[in-house]
Amino acid sequence: MSDEKFIHDAQTVLKFIQIYCNDKHKDAVKTDGLEKLTYQNRALHVEVKFNLCEECKKTFDISYRNLQECPHSEKPSCRKCPSPCYERPDWKHVAKIMKYSGMKQGLTKLKKFLKITK
Ligand SMILES: [Zn+2]
């Protein structure tokens, strides 16, 4: 995949995990971190910041590594992927996070659209 696509996907997956962690692990000990994105052993000069609990950091590490190693030029939806890179329990966990944060974001957009403020 292109660098742009890789950066976009890495940022998206982190954003989703961050939303999930903010909501679900409010009381967990969190670590601030910075990841300099690399792809195919090249530095991309893009940094992503996170504030995640240990569990979510691990989830991000797995997702990020899988994304780096994704053999597809255009990454298909993981559900339809012919060569899934996630171990089954990991994939289920990531899918749960994506679903949760995706719905939450959809809701936020809808609220903005309808001009309903919290
Ligand atoms: Zn967390």
Side-chain angles (χ1 to χ4, degrees):
M1 71 185 102
S2 67
D3 288 356
E4 288 74 24
K5 177 87 170 87
F6 176 81
I7 292 165
H8 176 260
D9 280 8
Q11 285 171 335
T12 303
V13 80
L14 177 62
K15 192 164 99 183
F16 276 47
I17 295 172
Q18 186 69 66
I19 291 171
Y20 181 84
C21 192
N22 289 349
D23 275 18
K24 297 280 183 180
H25 307 138
K26 279 197 182 82
D27 302 324
V29 179
K30 302 198 184 176
T31 318
D32 279 316
L34 193 76
E35 187 88 43
K36 290 185 179 177
L37 297 183
T38 55
Y39 183 48
Q40 292 170 343
N41 297 318
R42 288 174 294 112
L44 295 176
H45 308 292
V46 174
E47 293 172 347
V48 291
K49 283 184 188 162
F50 54 83
N51 175 246
L52 297 171
C53 73
E54 203 178 325
E55 183 195 323
C56 290
K57 176 63 170 62
K58 266 184 208 154
T59 306
F60 174 64
D61 287 343
I62 293 168
S63 307
Y64 178 56
R65 197 187 56 226
N66 284 346
L67 192 61
Q68 282 179 317
E69 288 169 5
C70 181
H72 307 285
S73 53
E74 278 299 317
K75 194 178 84 58
S77 153
C78 289
R79 204 180 281 278
K80 293 178 189 151
C81 187
S83 51
C85 48
Y86 288 98
E87 303 287 330
R88 190 92 195 141
D90 285 340
W91 150 239
K92 276 196 160 170
H93 185 61
V94 172
K96 193 177 85 181
I97 292 174
M98 294 299 136
K99 198 175 160 194
Y100 176 84
S101 299
M103 269 166 54
K104 187 163 172 175
Q105 282 204 306
L107 216 63
T108 310
K109 272 183 201 151
L110 193 70
K111 276 184 185 162
K112 268 186 199 154
F113 179 70
L114 297 170
K115 293 195 171 25
I116 301 167
T117 44
K118 250 191 184 171

